[in-house]
C-alpha cells in the first residue's frame, strides 16, 4: 500500500508489492545469471538471515504485466540508498537517497510482459555524502512501496495545497496543479478541482505546452473545519482532467486523468517565543524516532508504524521528529489521521565541515530538500521543516550551507517555520537563520553538569547570539538504558535506573523554564547502529539504546518518568 488513501479513480495504478527475485552483485548493470533469493518488496535485505550484514549492490527483479499500451510511470517511495532502474535491459534512470520518493516517466510502453530490474546499493563511498556509517543503520533494498501507473499523455504530476487563515477567521487555500504533457493533445482540456466531493474551481487548459506546466488558484472555504491534534479533520482534494471532443460540448467531457490528495486546514506561525497552531500556542511534547525495527529494518509496515504512534500517544506526546531523514509517506498519513504534529527533516546527521565539503554534498542535500518538500507539503501534520542535524553550524563555511538550504526550502514552502538541531552550544553561528531555535542537550549523560545552571547559561547566550525572542526547543535529550540492566544503587550508567533518573532531572529543569516550547526525548526506541565509523566502541550490542522502549518496544523504567512529565504538562496546563 503506497499511501493510506486512494490516489486515483481514473488513472490505472498497480502496486508492485510482493516477492521479487533477488541476487547480490558487484555493480549496477551487472545482470546476475540467477537469483537465489526471493525477497519481499517493500523490505530490507537485512531481514533475510543470509544478508543480515550485507553491504553492497543487490539486483531485484520482477516481471511487469502491463495492461495498456501508452505512457507509464514508475513510482518509488524509497530505495536504499542508491537506485538504478532498468527495464528490458535498458537503463531508465537512477536516484540517490533512501529516504525520498522519486519517479521515472516512460513515454511509451507496450502492453504485455516486461522485465524490471532495480539495482539497490547501500555501500559507503565518497559518492555518498549523506549515507555514511552513522549512529543509525543504512539498510539496503527497496524499503518503501513501488507502483506502476498508466496515465493519459497529459497528467497530474502533483498538487499543492497551502491553507491560509484570514484575519476574519475564514479559511482560504492556494492550490497549485502541476501537470506534465508527454505529447501534444489537440482536444480541449479542463482541470476541475473538488474538495470532499464539492467542485470549487474549473480551469481551462487550451492545448497545454509539452513538458511541465502549472495552474494556480486561490479559493475560499467558508465551511472548512480546522485540522488540529484534538480534531484532525482531513479533506479529500481531487483534481480531474477532462477532455472534450468539441470545444463546446461539456456533456461529452470525459475524465482522462485524476489525482487525489488528503489535506487539512491549519496554520502554523511563529509569534514571539511561541509556535502558534491556528492562532493558539502549542507546547510540543514528543520523541525523536528512527524508522527501525529488529525484523523489518527500516521497512516498517503500517501495523508497526501505527503501533509506534499508539505507544507515543500512551506516553502523552503530541509530536514526532523524523530524525534524521524524511519519513515514509504512510507514516505521515497516519500522523495526519491521528493528529500528531511532525517535525520533518532532511537527511544528514553529525557531518563535520570536511564531510560537508564532499563535492556531492550540496547537490545531494538540495535534491533531498526538494523531494521532501514537494512530496510532503500537503501533510497538515508537518508543522516544522528541519535540516542538517548537528552539522558544522559553528563555521562560516557551514553557515553558508545552512543559509542556502534554508533559502531553498523557503522558496519551496513559505508556510512553515524552519529550524535545525544544534549541538554547537556557545559556538553556533546560525541561530539568526531560523524561526525556531533548537538544541540537542545531553546533560547528565555525556557530561555530569547540572542542567539547571548550564541550561540557564546557554539560554542567555542564545538570546544575544541570533536567537533573541525566538521559540526554543530542546530537540534531543536523553540517556542510555540497556533493557533489563538494573542497578539497585541507581548509579551505573547504561542501567535503566540511571536512565530514568537522568530523564527525571532534565525534565524538571526544562519544564521549569517558561522559555522552552518544545521537548523531544532522544529517543523513542532503541535502534541498530553501524559497527563502522567507531560506533561499536560507544554502542554496546550495536545499538543506540537511549530508547524509552527497547527495539522490541518493551517499556523501560524511563517510560513512567516520561509519561508522568508529559501528563503534567499536558492539555489544560503547561509550564507556562
Ligand atoms: C546526537 C544525534 C543523535 C544521536 C544522539 C546520541 O544528538 O543527533 O542522532 O546520535 O546524539 O545518542 O548521542
Amino acid at each position: 500500500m503506497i499511501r493510506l488513501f486512494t490516489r486515483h479513480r481514473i488513472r490505472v495504478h498497480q502496486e508492485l508489492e510482493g516477492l521479487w527475485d533477488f541476487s547480490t552483485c558487484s555493480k549496477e548493470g551487472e545482470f546476475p545469471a540467477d537469483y537465489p533469493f526471493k525477497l519481499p518488496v517493500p523490505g530490507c535485505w537485512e531481514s533475510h538471515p543470509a544478508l543480515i550484514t550485507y553491504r553492497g549492490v543487490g539486483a531485484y527483479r520482477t516481471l511487469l504485466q502491463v495492461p495498456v499500451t501508452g505512457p507509464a510511470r514508475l513510482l518509488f517511495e524509497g530505495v536504499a540508498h542508491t537506485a538504478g532502474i532498468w527495464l528490458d535491459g535498458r537503463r531508465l534512470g537512477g536516484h540517490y537517497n533512501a529516504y525520498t520518493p522519486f519517479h521515472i516517466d516512460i513515454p511509451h510502453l507496450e502492453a504485455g510482459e516486461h522485465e524490471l530490474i532495480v539495482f539497490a546499493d547501500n555501500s559507503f563511498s565518497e559518492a555518498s555524502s549523506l549515507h555514511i556509517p552513522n549512529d543509525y543503520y543504512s539498510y539496503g533494498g527497496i524499503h518503501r512501496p513501488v507502483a506502476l501507473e498508466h496515465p493519459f499523455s497529459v497528467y497530474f504530476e502533483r498538487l499543492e495545497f497551502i491553507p491560509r487563515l484570514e484575519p476574519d477567521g475564514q479559511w482560504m487555500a492556494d492550490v497549485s496543479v502541476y501537470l506534465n504533457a508527454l505529447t501534444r493533445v489537440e482536444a480541449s482540456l479542463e482541470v476541475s478541482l473538488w474538495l470532499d466531493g464539492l467542485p470549487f474551481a474549473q480551469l481551462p487548459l487550451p492545448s497545454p505546452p509539452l513538458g511541465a506546466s502549472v495552474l494556480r488558484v486561490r479559493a475560499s472555504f467558508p465551511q472548512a473545519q480546522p485540522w488540529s491534534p484534538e480534531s484532525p479533520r482531513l479533506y479529500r482534494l481531487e483534481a480531474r482532467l477532462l477532455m472534450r471532443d468539441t470545444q463546446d460540448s461539456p456533456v461529452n467531457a470525459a475524465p482522462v486523468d485524476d489525482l487525489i490528495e488528503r489535506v487539512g486546514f491549519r496554520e502554523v506561525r511563529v509569534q514571539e517565543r511561541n509556535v502558534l497552531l491556528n492562532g493558539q500556542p502549542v507546547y510540543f511534547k514528543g520523541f525523536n524516532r528512527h524508522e527501525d525495527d529488529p525484523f523489518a529494518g527500516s521497512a516498517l509496515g503500517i501495523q508497526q508504524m501505527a503501533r509506534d504512534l499508539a505507544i507515543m500517544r500512551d506516553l502523552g506526546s503530541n509530536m514526532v521528529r523524523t530524525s534524521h531523514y524524511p519519513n515514509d509517506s504512510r507514516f505521515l498519513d497516519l500522523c495526519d489521521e491521528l493528529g500528531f504534529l511532525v517535525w520533518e527533516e532532511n537527511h544528514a546527521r553529525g557531518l563535520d565541515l570536511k564531510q560537508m565539503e564532499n563535492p556531492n554534498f550540496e547537490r545531494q542535500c538540495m535534491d533531498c530538500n526538494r523531494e521532501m518538500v514537494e512530496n510532503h507539503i500537503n501533510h497538515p501534520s508537518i508543522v516544522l521543516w528541519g535540516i542538517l542535524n548537528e552539522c558544522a553550524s559553528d563555521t562560516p563555511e557551514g553557515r553558508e550551507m545552512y543559509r542556502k538550504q534554508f533559502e531553498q526550502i523557503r522558496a519551496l514552502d513559505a508556510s512553515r517555520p524552519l529550524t535545525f538541531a544544534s549541538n554547537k552550544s556557545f559556538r553556533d553561528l546560525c541561530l539568526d537563520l531560523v524561526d525556531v531555535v533548537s538544541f540537542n542537550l545531553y546533560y547528565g549523560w555525556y557530561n555530569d553538569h547540572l542542567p539547571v545552571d548550564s541550561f540557564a547559561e546557554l539560554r542567555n547566550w542564545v538570546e544575544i547570539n541570533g536567537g533573541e525572542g525566538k521559540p526554543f526547543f530542546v530537540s534531543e535529550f536523553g540517556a542510555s538504558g540497556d533493557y533489563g540492566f538494573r542497578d539497585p544503587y541507581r548509579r551505573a550508567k547504561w542501567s535503566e535506573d540511571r536512565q530514568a533518573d537522568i530523564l527525571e532531572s532534565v525534565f524538571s529543569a526544562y519544564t521549569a523554564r517558561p522559555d522552552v516550547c518544545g521537548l523531544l526525548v532522544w529517543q523513542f526506541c532503541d535502534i541498530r547502529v553501524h559497527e563502522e565509523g567507531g560506533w561499536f566502541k560507544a554502542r554496546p550490542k550495536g545499538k543506540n539504546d537511549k530508547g524509552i522502549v527497547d527495539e522490541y518496544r518493551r517499556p523501560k523504567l524511563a517510560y513512567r518518568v516520561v509519561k508522568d512529565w508529559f501528563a503534567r504538562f499536558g492539555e489544560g496546563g503547561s509550564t507556562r
Side-chain angles (χ1 to χ4, degrees), residues 135 324 349 389-390 440 442 446 476 522 539 544 546:
D135 201 6
H324 298 301
R349 182 206 164 274
N389 172 74
E390 295 192 352
N440 297 344
Y442 283 88
Y446 291 120
E476 292 181 24
W522 185 270
R539 298 286 180 255
N544 183 316
K546 297 189 186 71

Side-chain angles (χ1 to χ4, degrees), residues 426 428-432 437 458 460-468:
F426 303 108
D428 205 289
L429 300 177
C430 297
L431 304 184
D432 61 316
V437 173
L458 176 68
N460 295 339
W461 182 87
V462 164
E463 286 299 300
I464 49 172
N465 284 282
E468 189 184 353

